[in-house]
Amino acid sequence: MSHDRILILDFGSQVTQLIARRVREAQVYCEIHPYDVSDDFIREQQAQGLKGVILSGSHASAYDEASMRAPKAVFEAGVPVLGICYGMQTMAMQLGGKVSFSDHREFGYAEVRAHGHTPFLNGIQDFATPEGHGMLKVWMSHGDKVTELPPGFKLMASTASCPIAGMADVDRGYYAVQFHPEVTHTVQGQALLSRFVHDICGCGTDWNMPDYVSEAVEAIRKQVGSDEVILGLSGGVDSSVAAALIHKAIGDQLTCVFVDHGLLRLNEGEQVMQTFAENMGLKIVHVDATADFMGKLAGVADPEAKRKIIGKEFVEVFQREAGRLKGAKWLAQGTIYPDVIESAGAKTGKAVSIKSHHNVGGLPDTLHLKLLEPLRELFKDEVRKLGVALGLPPAMVYRHPFPGPGLGVRILGEVKKEYADLLRRADAIFIEELRGTIATEQDAAAGLCAADEVGMNWYDLTSQAFAVFLPVKSVGVMGDGRTYDYVVALRAVQTTDFMTAHWAHLPYALLGRTSNRIINEVRGLNRVVYDVSGKPPATIEWE
């Protein structure tokens, strides 16, 4: 692609991909590559329109002899470089400064004072001190610090416990900060990264979804040629957008395989077939594999084992269906960045594994199809924008995410048909109540939503909401009788990137109605609880 580009070198931070997301929000194309790429690779990037380099954070210490270093060519490329956290520390070490262990670590909120009116920070602040010093509200996460500036650098920012919290060599275009501008906790983070890529690196604003459509279509055609492609269609946002994009590129060369594994939401099978086959004109093969999946999952309680089983069974179904298509050589998937990150399957291979995803970590060596993943480098909000650009209905594009393993990872422990039937009915009631409840001025006054969100329904005000089946029973009372039935948990979160999330502060009246309906309408459930955990420390899904 002929875009201006920013190169992000990954030193192993869990939030490296958030840097990419912020850069793309500024409508600038970027790529993430491991820190140890060759000098020749950097020079190749120069030939392709490289405008700047960002060095990510890391868990490592820059002063260790075996510590990670940026390629020498980064500082010889003649483009601006921004170091973040560890990226600042390795920049200092490589250019003649010093880094040491800090006896006062900083993890969390901090207030940083700007110094020197550098092009990076000038005019960007959250508030000013009585003395007139510009201050930033930022997020810190470090145990080491720069203790001596490299030659040619000047102080750019400081905190009480970190005297060198930012440094700059303006003449060479080198800037570095100890805090993390990529996370939402840094209030001016987007402004800072936009300042770097636009004002300092000179990038334009040519990264947008309408343009991406034509580029992605051309890339798919070039990759696939005249081969047949099959795609696992779940009806969720990712696979739906992937199907629409690939269909736009190769038309009837695409066959979608919709696998009903018995772990779908209420009436979802019928809805998927109607939406895609009747309204979008896609070729769809409907496979009822409920018995196969349930049989393989019987007696299995471990979350990772369940994911692997579901992933393996999906692939076997795809392979079987592909065998019926004479020219099928590709398996298309709606894999997106968060899937890859949490499975530690990013091309950098540096992140710590959190959990596997059926479309990333669960593919066996026996897979005889090549993978086509046109959304692999996109975040969820970018996928939604792409869906709109492709003309998909908003109700489909902005539907809450649904995991590939379906209810299999929303039933804790062993998966049974009885549990799935109870869960899908409880889940449907929760979603119905969210859609039917409108945010009020009283909700805004109570801090549950923003003033400009009054009048929206709570489904649209949450990013993901669902019910979870807990394989435990509790004592209850209905009428004059004792009950001993199962428990479900409700989960609703608000997030922009699905890398971090806050639990949704739903109105008590909404939760009360939902609980009352579930207990009265779903025989076998007698208790409803609400999950108030954020991500981190929890994940959005329970398994």
Side-chain angles (χ1 to χ4, degrees), residues 246-451:
I246 297 170
H247 185 256
K248 183 177 181 66
I250 61 174
D252 286 344
Q253 290 171 241
L254 171 67
T255 299
C256 294
V257 179
F258 173 56
V259 179
D260 186 346
H261 47 20
L263 299 169
L264 299 173
R265 290 169 288 197
L266 190 66
N267 301 323
E268 189 162 24
E270 296 86 344
Q271 293 171 2
V272 169
M273 291 302 295
Q274 181 179 14
T275 299
F276 289 92
E278 297 179 15
N279 298 334
M280 294 180 61
L282 273 69
K283 290 194 300 183
I284 301 182
V285 176
H286 187 184
V287 181
D288 185 355
T290 301
D292 294 335
F293 278 86
M294 289 298 183
K296 296 286 178 63
L297 289 168
V300 179
D302 180 74
E304 284 296 285
K306 290 195 294 184
R307 285 177 175 272
K308 291 290 174 47
I309 288 170
I310 292 171
K312 184 175 183 295
E313 195 64 24
F314 263 120
V315 172
E316 289 180 355
V317 172
F318 293 149
Q319 286 182 272
R320 184 169 65 245
E321 295 303 320
R324 298 175 180 145
L325 299 172
K326 186 176 181 181
K329 295 183 179 178
W330 296 87
L331 169 62
Q333 297 188 144
T335 308
I336 64 172
Y337 245 155
D339 300 338
V340 176
I341 299 162
E342 289 196 331
S343 296
K347 54 190 173 185
T348 62
K350 302 295 187 287
V352 176
S353 178
I354 304 299
K355 61 184 177 183
S356 64
H357 289 260
H358 82 280
N359 56 346
V360 179
L363 300 178
D365 294 335
T366 56
L367 178 65
H368 300 306
L369 299 170
K370 294 178 286 187
L371 282 177
L372 176 64
E373 299 175 313
L375 311 181
R376 188 180 177 90
E377 301 298 327
L378 301 183
F379 289 96
K380 180 69 72 173
D381 56 327
E382 291 181 312
V383 173
R384 295 190 194 280
K385 291 177 183 177
L386 178 58
V388 171
L390 288 166
L392 293 177
M396 179 188 298
V397 173
Y398 290 99
R399 186 183 188 190
H400 287 185
F402 187 60
L407 301 182
V409 291
R410 293 180 179 175
I411 297 171
L412 302 194
E414 183 181 4
V415 176
K416 297 181 179 180
K417 184 179 183 303
E418 172 197 358
Y419 298 166
D421 289 340
L422 292 172
L423 178 58
R424 70 178 109 245
R425 292 169 61 198
D427 184 80
I429 290 171
F430 186 29
I431 299 304
E432 183 178 316
E433 288 294 332
L434 286 169
R435 289 188 183 278
T437 305
I438 305 300
T440 65
E441 292 182 357
Q442 289 80 7
D443 293 334
L448 303 182
C449 66

Side-chain angles (χ1 to χ4, degrees), residues 132-152:
H133 302 309
M135 302 293 292
L136 293 167
K137 298 178 180 180
V138 305
W139 190 259
M140 290 280 199
S141 181
H142 68 101
D144 301 329
K145 62 183 180 181
V146 175
T147 54
E148 184 177 316
L149 293 171

Side-chain angles (χ1 to χ4, degrees), residues 57-80:
S58 176
H59 59 280
S61 293
Y63 50 78
D64 288 344
E65 290 186 8
S67 60
M68 301 171 284
R69 293 286 182 259
K72 185 179 179 182
V74 165
F75 302 107
E76 299 172 346
V79 299

Side-chain angles (χ1 to χ4, degrees), residues 19 34 104 111 122 140 143 148 186-187 203 206 217 250 270 304 322 331 423 430 435 504 513-514 519:
I19 303 173
H104 186 96
E111 294 180 355
N122 190 32
M140 290 280 199
E148 184 177 316
T186 297
V187 178
C203 293
D206 61 355
V217 164
I250 61 174
E270 296 86 344
E304 284 296 285
L331 169 62
L423 178 58
F430 186 29
R435 289 188 183 278
R513 282 195 308 275
T514 303
I519 292 171

